[in-house]
Amino acid sequence: MLVAFSVSPLGAGESVTDAVADAVRVVRESGLPHRTDAMFTTVEGEWDEVMDVVRRATEAVGRHAGRVSLVLKADIRPGHEGELTGKVERLEARLSS
């Protein structure tokens, strides 16, 4: 499964860089395939392991503020792996043909 999520503290001031860095650190230390861009972090793995990473990343952000915003989108497709890059590769192949 792929889970794209964005987590940020509410009421912690204008900059959220430190809080987001703590969340991304949790993702990177998980060992799961992942990609971070300007708006979301996408993680690939099994349901329990991905949701555990999201929970721990949210908790890390929560240490910066008493309230946290979490946006999550999931692509649940049992039996498929490598979709973090596979989806983009298929799209690029289509665009170049």
Side-chain angles (χ1 to χ4, degrees), residues 1-3 32-33 43-50:
M1 91 184 284
L2 293 174
V3 170
L32 295 177
V43 182
E44 184 171 17
E46 297 298 320
W47 181 278
D48 288 340
E49 60 190 2
V50 170

Side-chain angles (χ1 to χ4, degrees), residues 65 79 81:
E81 294 180 4

